[in-house]
Amino acid sequence: MKRNYVVQEHSLQHNNRNFMAEKLYKDSLAFRLFRMQGYNISPWTFCWFLQDYEMLNHLEDNYGQFTSLLYSVYKATDLMFFGETEVDEARSFSRKMLQKISTTKNIHDDNIVIFPNLMKVIEQELSTPWIARLDHLDHRMWIEQNKEGPVWIGKASFYRLSCVHNIGLMQLALENYKSRQLTYRNELEELKRWSKKWGLTEMGFGREKTLYCYFAVSASTSLPHDSLIRLLAAKSAILITVADDFFDMRGSLEELHFLIEAINRWDGEGLSGPSKVIFDVLDDHVREITKTLVLHGKIDLTEDFRDLWREIFNSWLTETTWGRSGYIPSVDEYLQTSMVSIATHILVLTSSCFLNPSLPENKVKPQKYEKITQALMATTRLLNDIQSYQKEQEEGIMNLVSLHFNQNPDASIDDSISEVKKLLEVKRNELLKHVFSDDDDDDFPNQWRSLHLSCFKVFQMLFNSGNLYDTEAELQSDIEKAIYVSPGYEFPKYLKPQTTFHAVPKRGNKMITARYVRHHGHGSMNIHQLSKRSMANANYKVLNSTMFGLCFI
């Protein structure tokens, strides 16, 4: 049994631009939701409007009447995969229209949906893209911005979407946010004690980033991870920062070689000063991780974790040797080393071992990283290099921007930055495809994919428009909002708690699929009847998805 998405309103004329605008709003929203859940859905399910020049002109001439529509299209393009030029075109068009709206404040009566505070949301979206915002703070923004519910513009009346703005749901969101803040404060204090115990806060060189590291780990995801994973990931990030600074700023080549030899044999005898502190913390950290894994009934991965850390430390030594000897590597040689030295893979791989299902042992091996992990390593390295080239050039540290500039004498530094940004865009779209599609040969759990996305979003946040990680106070406001200060929200007086729940009427088991069809020049999606088991699995996937929350609009 098959039913076409457009058959219900087939009798309407296709030159009815308001109807087509409403259809585009629904299609773009459906595309975003289904792609976020990993469905193989064609971009033409909403990009069809690019081939309708009358529609394009209508939107461009009356953009103030279609603010919510343009916002929905723009949000859909967040999930662009590599090679999807039509999505890139839709993003450019919708962004241009939203910029006009934001500049002129020219919002007329919206013909689709009336969203309170939509202008503020659009300004936030244009200034800081979704990929550079942390989930926890995004939830706070939606709590504070959604003081009134959206209104759907029907054919002859208005419908308040009470399912979106229900006082019970809003109260739950507030209590959930405050509860997480309490948990975060307790974990942060424990982490500070750990850093102080090992002397990491008083090394006498480099960056002390205990607070930054914990903030980034805790606020980056809404996954129901327990304290264990957050604290282990934060400890790894702190150790990476201290050790990397020791290689870049403090250690002599003799000291560094001595430390590397100790790590390769995993024996700290004879070490002293910062080298001994770093090795002792590393050894204890790996012991803690593996011991906890065994207590959770997992396999002992001690040697695998040691090998991952050995690879990272050796990459730091290679980069330091390059800088101090004046050696200029090739681009391929540089990327092969620097993708490891950025050390993001150690964060996601060790954390993934505590998921259920756990990451298989054969995937925790140096030089045998999955495509999704390789994409994460590449994108985070490129983000760092784009924003840190000036600082690293002054410190004699190799950087892809500087390397491209030195190897292309006719290019300006802006040309080199532009080239690295192009490469970043390619790798970022590849990463998104690995996260949101099932095209890879292996069947990875969604939580494992989401860990990679969360890690990338942290780096995109830190290096979106500068190098925030090296600042002293740039993140202080976000840290306060994430951990210490409760959201500012007062329930409107006209809202009353809803305590009565009604069963949803039974309907046919139908679901929108990803197949794209042409119908009189426009795209459409099909609704197919699924078995009860298929529908249950799909519902479970959507409702329990790590990517699906209250802020789905």
Side-chain angles (χ1 to χ4, degrees):
M1 177 178 175
K2 186 181 294 185
R3 178 178 168 196
N4 194 276
Y5 181 64
V6 297
V7 164
Q8 297 176 14
E9 295 174 304
H10 185 274
S11 61
L12 295 176
Q13 296 180 357
H14 283 282
N15 62 357
N16 184 330
R17 293 306 165 194
N18 287 334
F19 161 69
M20 296 310 298
E22 180 181 318
K23 170 177 163 43
L24 177 56
Y25 178 87
K26 295 176 181 178
D27 289 349
S28 58
L29 179 59
F31 172 84
R32 177 176 174 81
L33 290 176
F34 278 91
R35 176 155 284 190
M36 287 179 73
Q37 305 310 315
Y39 288 88
N40 184 19
I41 185 168
S42 168
W44 286 110
T45 53
F46 82 99
C47 287
W48 55 262
F49 78 98
L50 296 172
Q51 298 180 342
D52 188 331
Y53 298 110
E54 290 185 11
M55 180 69 172
L56 282 174
N57 291 334
H58 184 64
L59 292 175
E60 195 159 8
D61 293 340
N62 304 277
Y63 57 85
Q65 300 177 17
F66 298 104
T67 306
S68 60
L69 161 63
L70 293 166
Y71 174 70
S72 180
V73 170
Y74 186 71
K75 290 288 291 179
T77 64
D78 283 340
L79 306 179
M80 176 169 51
F81 295 166
F82 176 68
E84 293 182 338
T85 55
E86 65 274 27
V87 181
D88 189 41
E89 186 179 349
R91 186 173 185 82
S92 297
F93 175 80
S94 56
R95 182 177 179 85
K96 182 177 70 173
M97 295 297 101
L98 291 176
Q99 286 173 331
K100 284 185 178 182
I101 294 169
S102 179
T103 301
T104 62
K105 311 295 182 183
N106 186 17
I107 294 185
H108 305 298
D109 292 336
D110 198 303
N111 286 343
I112 307 297
V113 180
I114 300 175
F115 283 104
N117 301 309
L118 180 57
M119 180 59 71
K120 292 181 180 179
V121 174
I122 290 173
E123 291 173 352
Q124 167 86 355
E125 198 73 41
L126 294 176
S127 64
T128 308
W130 156 80
I131 200 68
R133 300 199 305 270
L134 304 185
D135 289 2
H136 183 55
L137 290 175
D138 244 12
H139 289 175
R140 181 190 183 102
M141 180 193 73
W142 280 105
I143 290 172
E144 294 180 335
Q145 294 292 349
N146 285 270
K147 295 183 179 181
E148 297 179 30
V151 175
W152 175 265
I153 311 299
K155 294 180 176 60
S157 59
F158 295 83
Y159 300 91
R160 180 167 296 279
L161 303 181
S162 59
C163 62
V164 176
H165 191 75
N166 176 283
I167 189 172
L169 290 177
M170 187 58 70
Q171 188 170 7
L172 177 63
L174 271 171
E175 293 303 319
N176 174 62
Y177 196 93
K178 293 177 182 178
S179 175
R180 289 168 64 180
Q181 284 183 312
L182 178 60
T183 300
Y184 293 167
R185 288 195 293 272
N186 292 334
E187 291 175 2
L188 178 57
E189 290 305 311
E190 180 180 344
L191 191 64
K192 287 179 177 179
R193 290 192 295 270
W194 175 83
S195 292
K196 187 174 181 179
K197 166 191 170 184
W198 288 103
L200 298 177
T201 59
E202 301 172 353
M203 295 293 286
F205 64 88
R207 301 160 291 178
E208 201 294 295
K209 295 296 180 182
T210 300
L211 178 59
Y212 273 27
C213 288
Y214 181 76
F215 160 70
V217 170
S218 61
S220 65
T221 177
S222 59
L223 292 174
H225 292 164
D226 56 15
S227 298
L228 173 65
I229 292 181
R230 283 192 294 271
L231 289 173
L232 290 178
K235 289 177 181 178
S236 294
I238 294 167
L239 176 57
I240 289 167
T241 302
V242 172
D244 184 45
D245 284 349
F246 180 62
F247 275 78
D248 289 344
M249 304 166 58
R250 177 67 178 269
S252 66
L253 281 178
E254 183 180 2
E255 286 179 303
L256 299 181
H257 278 284
F258 200 38
L259 174 58
I260 289 295
E261 290 173 2
I263 291 175
N264 286 338
R265 66 175 186 270
W266 211 265
D267 182 356
E269 184 178 355
L271 293 176
S272 61
S275 294
K276 178 172 176 54
V277 172
I278 290 172
F279 179 84
D280 288 347
V281 174
L282 175 62
D283 182 45
D284 182 79
H285 184 51
V286 172
R287 289 175 186 272
E288 180 185 9
I289 293 174
T290 52
K291 178 182 178 181
T292 308
L293 274 175
V294 173
L295 289 175
H296 280 70
K298 311 287 185 179
I299 192 170
D300 187 347
L301 297 174
T302 300
E303 281 305 312
D304 297 292
F305 289 150
R306 286 178 176 178
D307 286 341
L308 289 175
W309 282 105
R310 287 178 178 124
E311 183 187 36
I312 292 171
F313 273 82
N314 278 281
S315 71
W316 288 334
L317 179 61
T318 298
E319 291 182 337
T320 301
T321 304
W322 287 346
R324 298 186 187 182
S325 67
Y327 175 75
I328 306 296
S330 67
V331 171
D332 288 343
E333 187 180 7
Y334 169 76
L335 287 175
Q336 185 177 6
T337 298
S338 64
M339 284 171 57
V340 174
S341 68
I342 198 68
T344 49
H345 59 297
I346 195 75
L347 302 177
V348 294
L349 293 181
T350 52
S351 298
S352 297
C353 292
F354 291 91
L355 298 178
N356 189 18
S358 176
L359 188 67
E361 180 185 4
N362 66 328
K363 298 188 184 299
V364 192
K365 302 286 184 182
Q367 301 297 328
K368 294 183 179 180
Y369 304 118
E370 301 298 326
K371 293 178 181 178
I372 186 174
T373 306
Q374 293 180 35
L376 173 66
M377 297 162 71
T379 50
T380 50
R381 167 49 64 190
L382 295 173
L383 279 168
N384 177 86
D385 283 12
I386 290 170
Q387 298 297 346
S388 303
Y389 76 92
Q390 288 180 312
K391 171 180 174 289
E392 293 181 340
Q393 189 175 36
E394 294 171 357
E395 297 174 352
I397 301 172
M398 191 58 62
N399 180 291
L400 187 58
V401 172
S402 301
L403 185 61
H404 181 275
F405 180 68
N406 292 332
Q407 295 184 354
N408 295 272
D410 295 333
S412 66
I413 193 66
D414 289 337
D415 293 332
S416 297
I417 294 173
S418 178
E419 287 301 313
V420 178
K421 284 183 176 180
K422 289 178 183 178
L423 179 58
L424 170 62
E425 188 66 22
V426 171
K427 293 299 180 181
R428 178 166 47 212
N429 291 341
E430 287 180 0
L431 175 62
L432 291 179
K433 185 172 184 179
H434 291 309
V435 171
F436 292 114
S437 73
D438 294 323
D439 290 344
D440 293 330
D441 295 334
D442 296 291
D443 185 21
F444 299 126
N446 286 335
Q447 286 189 337
W448 192 69
R449 299 172 189 267
S450 297
L451 273 178
H452 284 71
L453 178 63
S454 297
C455 187
F456 175 74
K457 290 181 73 172
V458 167
F459 272 74
Q460 185 75 67
M461 178 273 295
L462 291 173
F463 298 101
N464 188 52
S465 57
N467 183 351
L468 298 183
Y469 193 65
D470 288 344
T471 62
E472 293 297 328
E474 288 293 326
L475 293 175
Q476 194 60 41
S477 176
D478 284 345
I479 291 172
E480 293 287 332
K481 292 178 181 178
I483 301 176
Y484 297 104
V485 181
S486 299
Y489 186 90
E490 294 183 3
F491 289 99
K493 295 180 180 180
Y494 64 83
L495 286 177
K496 296 181 180 180
Q498 179 178 333
T499 57
T500 303
F501 297 90
H502 302 281
V504 178
K506 292 185 178 180
R507 295 174 179 265
N509 290 331
K510 294 180 171 62
M511 174 167 286
I512 298 176
T513 67
R515 194 166 70 88
Y516 173 74
V517 299
R518 304 290 299 179
H519 188 85
H520 296 292
H522 299 295
S524 63
M525 286 178 284
N526 293 331
I527 297 178
H528 297 277
Q529 184 169 353
L530 302 177
S531 67
K532 289 185 177 180
R533 177 168 183 172
S534 298
M535 194 64 179
N537 290 338
N539 286 338
Y540 178 85
K541 183 176 183 181
V542 171
L543 295 179
N544 292 277
S545 167
T546 60
M547 302 302 298
F548 192 87
L550 294 178
C551 55
F552 59 88
I553 296 176

